[in-house]
Amino acid sequence: MFTQIFGKKTPVHVRDIKLYNTESSKIETFEPLNTNEVKMYSCGPTVYDYAHIGNLRAYVFSDILKRVLIHNGYLVKNTINITDFGHLTDDGDAGEDKMMKGLKRDGLPITLDAMRQLSDRYIKAFKNDIEELRILPPTNWARASDYIKKQISLIKTLEEKGFAYETSDGLYFDIAKFPKYGRLGKIDLKKLKSGARLEINTEKKHPADFAIWKKGSLGWESRWGTGFPGWHIECSAMAMDTLGKQIDIHTGGIDHIPIHHNAEIAQSEAATGKKFVKYWLHGAFLTIDSTKVSKSLGNTITMRHLMDRGFSGDDYRYWLLTAHYRSTVNFSWDALKAAKQALFRLKRYVYEEYKQKTATPDTTYLEKFDEKIANDLDTPGAIAVLWDMIKDDSLDNKTKCGTLMAMDEILDIGLSDNLYEGVRSLGVIATDELPEKIQELIDRREAARIACNWTEADLLRDAIKLKGYDLEDTTHGPKVTKVE
Ligand code: AMP
Ligand code: ZN
């Protein structure tokens, strides 16, 4: 199990951690704001639907980052927010509200209560996905609708300090009052102004000004009337409330760089006069057939889809880690199948061949592995070291097993489960109560599943059912129940 090193007064940092900071566009050596504690905020999901596998990539990336920090002696306090209102389909101020879209799709009334009900469902599903992917739960889950007062108070501060102006449809942040606006991704504001498409909202002074309060018939009461806070303000308010005015690391997907994160910087720094975030880290996108993952294109894939085809959270996590977080990855079932087979081999080593008997890890390989991963989270490089170690005949099995399990503290791909669970994850199930014939069919179906031969796997499942047994696929292999 992974343990966090709590309460150390003196730094115990094992090695330098290098991280690519979007703000400087450079790899920097990580230096925390406070000696030993790291405050980290990750933009969370908009819970109007199931998270797709692209969204989930963003949290596997921040999980590796968190583990690397902990592994190197830092105490990490982190927040993931949950957007349960106000995120429009466009990160600017255009488009439809995603939650409203969800309400209409599910035939729910357009009320705050129904919105809460809708988000409850998808929060639960998101947390299941997180667990399936072995992502460490954050110190704080911050749900936007629980922080309305904090958001209103931040908006008031911005208004009082002269950073906002009111229009007929809301309150806007006036970027002209914040000359450093757009430093993330080096946004050229002049170009943006001259190249702006016909601005829908003619009351905006600059196309990059963004709503911090939206007036409307649905929402909460405020001095600007009924409505709701603009999407960007929630992250500033919740980051500052849960972690403080200044934080070490902020993560998100690259789509957040131009608008959302520049808006977060402007709001937070205008309110406090302090630098908001020291290191901005962004994960690249996952594409499917080299195309954007999008509901409207009908190409979204969720964790449930992966599991229905016999892939576990570990398979998907392992596949993601074979690519660097700053590289775009293209999803394909074949690529995932290859990752599953590789991970299956690894698990076989640990649970079948080495029988999980361990000795002290090999320091040379472990050091190489740690170096790679501390070098801007080079997980593909670290996984290459792992395979080199397995193939090294000069090491005995116990040492190999110990080293793999140590590496799994960061990778967490199911190499350090207990032996029983591990063996089950290989698809081997308890046989004592099953007739031999049934066991044989189950074994054949598992083989078909591993070979991704879905038609045969389905036929075998039907055959098992006809003989009175139900098969349920779980992350840890098939669960068999007798049909009454
Ligand atoms: P959202 O639910 O749209 O607010 O997004 C949640 C997280 O997923 C954010 O950090 C996004 O940047 C990230 N994200 C969205 N689409 C993708 C994708 N295709 N690949 C990787 N990350 C994504
Ligand atoms: Zn955010």
Side-chain angles (χ1 to χ4, degrees):
M1 264 322 278
F2 203 83
T3 43
Q4 178 148 338
I5 309 162
F6 283 107
K8 290 247 162 55
K9 286 279 184 290
T10 43
V12 287
H13 311 143
V14 184
R15 66 185 56 71
D16 281 349
I17 298 175
K18 310 269 185 196
L19 299 173
Y20 181 85
N21 189 348
T22 307
E23 188 167 351
S24 64
S25 314
K26 284 196 185 88
I27 301 255
E28 296 177 22
T29 301
F30 177 73
E31 295 284 349
L33 291 166
N34 296 313
T35 335
N36 216 33
E37 187 183 72
V38 180
K39 293 173 178 172
M40 178 166 130
Y41 185 91
S42 303
C43 285
T46 307
V47 284
Y48 71 117
D49 206 338
Y50 296 106
H52 60 63
I53 55 172
N55 299 134
L56 295 171
R57 184 183 190 203
Y59 307 104
V60 170
F61 141 58
S62 57
D63 184 58
I64 293 291
L65 174 58
K66 179 173 172 177
R67 286 167 187 267
V68 170
L69 291 163
I70 297 172
H71 186 67
N72 284 288
Y74 295 103
L75 169 68
V76 180
K77 262 175 89 176
N78 74 314
T79 298
I80 300 180
N81 72 295
I82 288 174
T83 300
D84 59 356
F85 69 85
H87 187 181
L88 306 186
T89 44
D90 183 302
D91 276 1
D93 296 309
E96 199 184 351
D97 185 303
K98 291 187 181 184
M99 291 305 293
M100 300 286 188
K101 238 179 124 169
L103 288 176
K104 285 182 208 157
R105 181 201 57 219
D106 288 7
L108 290 167
I110 310 290
T111 62
L112 288 182
D113 280 349
M115 224 187 239
R116 185 98 188 166
Q117 196 188 325
L118 179 80
S119 37
D120 277 345
R121 179 187 314 156
Y122 295 113
I123 290 172
K124 193 162 170 250
F126 180 72
K127 288 187 178 171
N128 281 342
D129 292 347
I130 292 289
E131 203 181 320
E132 205 60 54
L133 289 164
R134 302 187 193 250
I135 291 167
L136 297 172
T139 321
N140 316 289
W141 286 111
R143 184 172 177 168
S145 66
D146 290 338
Y147 285 80
I148 298 296
K149 276 197 183 138
K150 299 277 178 194
Q151 295 178 67
I152 290 180
S153 138
L154 179 57
I155 301 166
K156 269 188 198 157
T157 307
L158 292 174
E159 189 181 40
E160 280 156 17
K161 289 194 169 187
F163 287 98
Y165 61 91
E166 195 165 350
T167 66
S168 56
D169 75 339
L171 198 71
Y172 283 81
F173 188 95
D174 188 351
I175 61 157
K177 300 276 169 57
F178 189 79
K180 285 183 284 181
Y181 186 83
R183 63 179 195 256
L184 219 57
K186 303 186 179 45
I187 306 298
D188 185 341
L189 291 176
K190 283 198 191 109
K191 233 186 190 167
L192 198 70
K193 192 157 192 175
S194 60
R197 57 196 156 161
L198 206 57
E199 187 54 59
I200 302 156
N201 187 342
T202 49
E203 291 176 73
K204 266 164 75 166
K205 296 183 186 169
H206 189 286
D209 289 350
F210 53 90
I212 49 179
W213 183 263
K214 285 251 180 202
K215 294 177 187 170
S217 50
L218 182 72
W220 293 268
E221 293 311 313
S222 77
R223 65 156 92 162
W224 314 283
T226 312
F228 51 89
W231 172 49
H232 314 298
I233 205 86
E234 73 173 72
C235 286
S236 291
M238 296 193 290
M240 293 200 278
D241 191 67
T242 56
L243 301 170
K245 289 180 180 153
Q246 294 186 288
I247 63 175
D248 294 276
I249 302 177
H250 195 311
T251 74
I254 43 163
D255 55 325
H256 288 343
I257 300 173
I259 300 179
H260 183 53
H261 287 167
N262 275 313
E264 275 192 49
I265 294 176
Q267 296 160 157
S268 313
E269 298 188 359
T272 66
K274 291 186 169 142
K275 189 165 167 60
F276 176 43
V277 171
K278 198 165 176 196
Y279 302 92
W280 283 96
L281 268 72
H282 292 98
F285 259 36
L286 171 140
T287 54
I288 297 178
D289 297 329
S290 305
T291 312
K292 190 177 175 247
V293 188
S294 144
K295 293 250 151 49
S296 53
L297 294 173
N299 69 345
T300 52
I301 295 176
T302 63
M303 202 56 225
R304 174 55 43 210
H305 292 134
L306 300 192
M307 291 174 76
D308 283 348
R309 289 209 184 187
F311 295 100
S312 66
D314 290 348
D315 297 333
Y316 184 52
R317 185 173 167 105
Y318 177 78
W319 176 69
L320 283 177
L321 298 182
T322 57
H324 190 260
Y325 78 94
R326 283 195 293 119
S327 308
T328 304
V329 288
N330 189 42
F331 176 84
S332 75
W333 292 105
D334 280 347
L336 185 60
K337 183 178 146 194
K340 180 185 178 69
Q341 284 164 345
L343 182 60
F344 187 75
R345 274 170 62 206
L346 280 181
K347 289 189 176 180
R348 258 209 152 124
Y349 282 124
V350 174
Y351 300 114
E352 271 182 19
E353 197 170 329
Y354 310 153
K355 302 235 164 2
Q356 218 183 31
K357 295 204 171 82
T358 61
T360 315
D362 181 83
T363 45
T364 312
Y365 279 110
L366 205 51
E367 184 55 34
K368 271 194 208 165
F369 175 93
D370 285 344
E371 280 294 334
K372 288 279 181 200
I373 223 140
N375 181 19
D376 196 28
L377 318 181
D378 178 6
T379 52
I383 288 174
V385 173
L386 177 155
W387 282 105
D388 286 346
M389 185 275 297
I390 297 224
K391 288 178 205 145
D392 186 339
D393 293 336
S394 72
L395 300 178
D396 60 46
N397 283 354
K398 281 187 179 173
T399 308
K400 286 184 185 179
C401 192
T403 315
L404 274 180
M405 286 174 74
M407 291 171 173
D408 200 44
E409 282 211 353
I410 289 179
L411 300 178
D412 214 350
I413 44 176
L415 304 180
S416 35
D417 290 341
N418 67 45
L419 190 58
Y420 175 76
E421 295 264 317
V423 169
R424 275 177 68 87
S425 77
L426 292 171
V428 183
I429 57 163
T431 51
D432 14 6
E433 291 161 32
L434 284 175
E436 210 175 301
K437 281 241 159 64
I438 301 295
Q439 185 57 51
E440 203 185 296
L441 287 172
I442 291 169
D443 290 346
R444 277 174 54 199
R445 182 173 172 275
E446 273 309 285
R449 246 162 51 87
I450 286 162
C452 296
N453 190 345
W454 313 119
T455 320
E456 189 175 336
D458 285 349
L459 286 173
L460 285 161
R461 184 210 284 265
D462 293 345
I464 295 163
K465 194 160 194 165
L466 276 176
K467 294 197 182 301
Y469 291 87
D470 245 352
L471 257 192
E472 187 199 334
D473 294 319
T474 73
T475 331
H476 303 301
K479 203 173 115 195
V480 189
T481 43
K482 183 113 181 65
V483 183
E484 292 305 323

